[in-house]
């Protein structure tokens, strides 16, 4: 009996095209390593299912985890895409992962989502502002026995079980190092930092790391402004236009948040002798297009799929009473248009 998975089964399991799957199965070049891994994993899972090892029934979901996200639309879309990519892989481990996003920055909406998800989830990961209201709501859930992980941006340590994400202060230092190297021989250069809101610990930490690195190793470079874009395209555009009109000799901008389309629109509109170097965070549909078109110079990022896998595994360990690390720091990726990973 032929137990090999059919092409249709592989397409259904991976959501990839037949052409891409064919390239992987026949070891042809030009396929992203992550895509190869996805196809290989699906192929193995389908073989096991077809063989019906010891005639065991198909594994049923044993854990349900939720990710509640308070962020801009760009970030929300990239996180949902990553969740879809790893869905089949997690289900083979008996894990279902729900991603619930709010582009509304209102804390009340996030708290409502948290409480709704807590009714059926074994554990919750949260990307949110580090505010008293959020911390209080999370703490109440923890007291009720819910397992909580802070994702990407930390909240108060005593209200969550663990943190998963990059070291944001180190990410800010990396941005400071890159900009400092670019500008170390310039005369009286200024740089600007754009934050969404310092209520996000990750934004705060990135700015602190950036300033510290500039101050330590490139004292001739002055950080002239910190402006708020609130992770919103229009607000970031308005803030950037005001900045560019009021501050002279801006040679670089570090955006710790979202709203990149608005920032680039402002730079396109404001004609200067030398376009400022632009560093931002996260690879998504917006930043991918902008870096390809040379509007963004560097993206500081992390592997979103790996982020969610590590989070699900940690929530599972906490649920089962296993030992787990309080902090899991993912590798910081420095992306240029020449090293841009595929989103597919």
């Amino acid at each position: 009996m032929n137990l090999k998975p059919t092409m249709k089964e592989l397409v259904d399991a991976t959501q990839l095209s037949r052409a891409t799957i064919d390239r992987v199965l026949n070891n042809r070049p030009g396929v992203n390593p992550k895509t190869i891994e996805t196809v290989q994993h699906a192929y193995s899972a389908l073989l096991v299912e077809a063989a019906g090892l010891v005639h065991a029934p198909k594994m049923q979901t044993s854990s349900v985890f939720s990710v509640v996200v308070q962020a801009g639309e760009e970030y929300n879309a990239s996180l949902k895409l990553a969740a879809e990519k790893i869905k089949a892989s997690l289900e083979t481990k008996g894990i279902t992962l729900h991603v619930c996003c709010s582009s509304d920055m209102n804390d009340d909406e996030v708290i409502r989502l948290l409480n709704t998800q807590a009714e059926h989830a074994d554990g919750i990961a949260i990307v949110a502002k580090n505010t008293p209201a959020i911390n209080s709501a999370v703490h109440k859930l923890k007291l009720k026995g819910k397992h909580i992980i802070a994702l990407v941006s930390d909240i108060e340590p005593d209200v969550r079980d663990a943190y998963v994400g990059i070291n944001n202060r180190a990410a800010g230092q990396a941005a400071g190092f890159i900009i400092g190297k670019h500008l170390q021989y310039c005369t009286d250069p200024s740089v600007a930092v754009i934050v969404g809101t310092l209520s996000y610990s990750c934004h705060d930490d990135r700015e602190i790391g950036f300033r510290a690195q500039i101050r330590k190793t490139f004292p001739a470079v002055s950080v002239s402004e910190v402006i708020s874009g609130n992770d919103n395209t229009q607000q970031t555009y308005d803030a950037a236009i005001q900045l560019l009109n009021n501050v002279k000799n801006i040679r670089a901008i570090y955006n710790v948040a979202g709203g990149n389309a608005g920032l680039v629109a402002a730079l396109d509109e404001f004609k200067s002798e030398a376009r400022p170097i632009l560093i931002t965070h996260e690879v998504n549909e917006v930043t991918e297009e902008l870096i390809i078109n040379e509007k963004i110079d560097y993206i500081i990022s992390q592997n979103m799929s790996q982020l969610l896998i590590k989070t699900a595994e940690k929530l599972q360990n906490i649920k089962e009473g296993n030992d787990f690390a309080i902090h899991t720091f993912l590798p910081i990726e420095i992306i240029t248009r020449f090293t841009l990973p595929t989103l597919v």
Side-chain angles (χ1 to χ4, degrees):
M1 182 173 61
N2 184 12
L3 299 179
K4 289 184 179 180
T6 66
M7 181 62 75
K8 183 180 185 305
E9 289 174 331
L10 288 169
V11 169
D12 290 341
T14 63
Q15 298 300 301
L16 297 170
S17 69
R18 288 173 174 264
T20 298
I21 294 170
D22 184 72
R23 287 201 298 271
V24 174
L25 295 179
N26 291 284
N27 296 315
R28 295 193 182 100
V31 184
N32 186 281
K34 296 174 186 175
T35 303
I36 295 174
E37 182 180 352
T38 297
V39 174
Q40 290 175 340
H41 184 90
Y43 191 96
S44 298
L46 288 167
L47 276 179
V48 170
E49 184 177 337
L53 295 181
V54 297
H55 303 288
K58 187 177 180 180
M59 181 182 293
Q60 299 298 312
T61 297
S62 59
S63 297
V64 176
F65 301 128
S66 290
V67 182
V68 174
V69 188
Q70 180 187 30
E73 293 181 359
E74 299 171 20
Y75 189 86
N76 292 346
S78 63
L79 205 62
K80 286 180 177 179
L81 178 62
E84 281 299 314
K85 289 172 61 177
I86 64 170
K87 180 180 178 180
S89 174
L90 290 181
E91 286 179 347
T92 63
K93 301 175 183 178
I95 296 173
T96 295
L97 190 69
H98 297 297
V99 178
C100 307
C101 299
S102 173
S103 296
D104 183 353
M105 293 293 109
N106 189 297
D107 287 357
D108 291 339
E109 171 64 13
V110 179
I111 292 169
R112 185 192 68 78
L113 279 176
L114 279 170
N115 291 329
T116 300
Q117 294 302 308
E119 293 176 3
H120 59 79
D122 297 300
I124 296 175
I126 178 171
V127 183
K129 298 175 184 175
N130 185 26
T131 63
I134 296 289
N135 283 306
S136 176
V138 172
H139 188 51
K140 289 176 182 177
L141 292 177
K142 189 179 178 185
L143 291 176
K144 292 178 181 178
K146 292 297 177 182
H147 309 302
I148 309 289
I149 287 180
L151 199 61
V152 178
S153 186
D154 209 353
I155 54 179
E156 292 302 312
D158 58 344
V159 305
R160 49 77 169 159
D161 293 286
Y163 167 81
V164 178
I166 62 171
N167 182 330
N168 285 293
R169 192 159 297 193
Q173 289 175 307
F177 178 80
I178 292 169
I179 285 178
K181 281 292 187 181
H182 274 285
L183 304 184
Q184 61 183 326
Y185 300 117
C186 294
T187 303
D188 194 28
S190 292
V191 301
V193 180
I194 297 179
V195 302
T197 165
L198 293 181
S199 294
Y200 287 106
S201 294
C202 63
H203 293 184
D204 197 11
D205 287 340
R206 291 168 188 173
E207 192 225 335
I208 290 171
F210 178 77
R211 282 182 174 274
Q213 184 66 27
I214 291 290
R215 184 170 57 249
K216 178 181 178 181
T217 55
F218 305 102
V221 178
S222 63
V223 181
S224 60
E225 288 287 331
V226 177
I227 58 177
S228 176
N230 204 31
D231 272 351
N232 176 275
T233 297
Q234 185 61 48
Q235 291 183 40
T236 302
Y237 167 82
D238 293 339
I241 284 292
Q242 183 178 2
L243 168 76
L244 293 167
N245 283 326
N246 293 335
V247 181
K248 306 303 180 185
N249 205 28
I250 293 180
R251 295 299 184 89
I253 297 175
Y254 174 39
N255 182 16
V256 308
N260 289 289
L263 174 56
V264 166
L267 289 171
D268 287 343
E269 183 177 318
F270 189 87
K271 303 300 181 182
S272 59
E273 183 178 340
R275 187 183 180 92
I277 297 161
L278 177 54
I279 300 181
T280 189
H281 278 261
E282 309 304 348
V283 176
N284 53 52
E285 289 183 350
V286 173
T287 57
E288 180 183 52
E289 180 179 353
L290 293 175
I291 199 169
I292 288 173
N293 292 321
E294 302 183 40
K295 304 293 186 178
I296 291 174
D297 298 289
Y298 301 93
I299 301 174
I300 299 175
S301 193
Q302 57 202 308
N303 186 309
M304 285 291 192
S305 295
Q306 190 67 18
L307 177 78
L308 293 178
I309 289 171
K310 291 288 185 183
T311 298
E313 290 175 348
K314 189 179 291 290
L315 282 169
Q316 186 72 8
N317 278 332
I318 296 172
K319 176 188 173 183
E320 294 174 353
N322 300 326
D323 292 336
F324 63 93
I326 299 298
H327 293 90
T328 297
F329 291 121
L330 272 64
I332 297 172
E333 301 176 350
I334 309 295
I335 308 296
T336 71
R337 67 181 183 277
F338 306 107
T339 59
L340 186 68
T342 178
L343 291 175
V344 178

